[in-house]
């Protein structure tokens, strides 16, 4: 649908191609040119798609709650490390279990 996630992805990819003067064949050739190449030259395309989807509210990021059992079982530094990892991956952390989409408990 217009304004849906797939529509936004296609719009962003076409805008990226136009800005760089690529035809569909040209982009495909550069995407598959050298599998062993250490640098992915179109990373910017995916960053722009991600930003567009985020700005349109199409990406859902988890809200994480670290259970009381977990915070008692682990040293505070380890819980802080888990919080840092979650935030680095786009999640948010809540202190209220009722607001969480994901609850982390000890094994």
């Amino acid at each position: 649908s217009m304004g849906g996630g797939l529509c936004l992805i296609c719009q962003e990819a076409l805008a990226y191609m136009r800005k760089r003067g690529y035809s569909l064949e040209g982009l495909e050739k550069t995407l598959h040119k050298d599998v062993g190449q250490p640098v992915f030259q179109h990373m910017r395309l995916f960053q722009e798609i991600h930003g567009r989807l985020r700005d349109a509210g199409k990406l859902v990021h988890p809200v994480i709650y670290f259970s009381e059992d977990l915070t008692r079982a682990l040293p505070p530094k380890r819980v802080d490390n888990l919080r840092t990892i979650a935030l680095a991956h786009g999640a948010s952390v809540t202190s209220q279990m009722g607001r969480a989409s994901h609850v982390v408990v000890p094994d």
Side-chain angles (χ1 to χ4, degrees), residues 16-93:
Y16 177 87
M17 290 170 56
R18 275 195 295 269
K19 278 189 239 175
R20 286 155 184 82
Y22 286 120
S23 66
L24 183 56
E25 287 176 3
L27 181 64
E28 187 175 354
K29 283 178 188 172
T30 62
L31 284 172
H32 300 290
K33 146 170 122 172
D34 185 4
V35 178
Q37 195 174 16
V39 177
F40 186 65
Q41 66 184 23
H42 296 293
M43 188 56 145
R44 186 76 191 141
L45 168 63
F46 296 101
Q47 291 169 331
E48 290 173 8
I49 289 171
H50 181 268
R52 180 88 180 265
L53 291 171
R54 182 194 59 233
D55 294 347
K58 301 295 181 186
L59 293 179
V60 178
H61 295 288
V63 178
I64 297 179
Y65 172 77
F66 296 109
S67 71
E68 291 178 19
D69 291 341
L70 181 83
T71 57
R72 280 192 298 268
L74 295 178
K77 185 163 177 78
R78 180 67 179 135
V79 175
D80 285 340
N81 287 345
L82 293 172
R83 182 176 286 112
T84 300
I85 291 167
L87 295 173
H89 288 278
S92 59
V93 177

Side-chain angles (χ1 to χ4, degrees), residues 1-12 49 52-53 56 58:
S1 68
M2 198 63 157
L6 182 56
C7 181
L8 295 174
I9 290 170
C10 291
Q11 288 173 348
E12 201 60 43
I49 289 171
R52 180 88 180 265
L53 291 171
K58 301 295 181 186

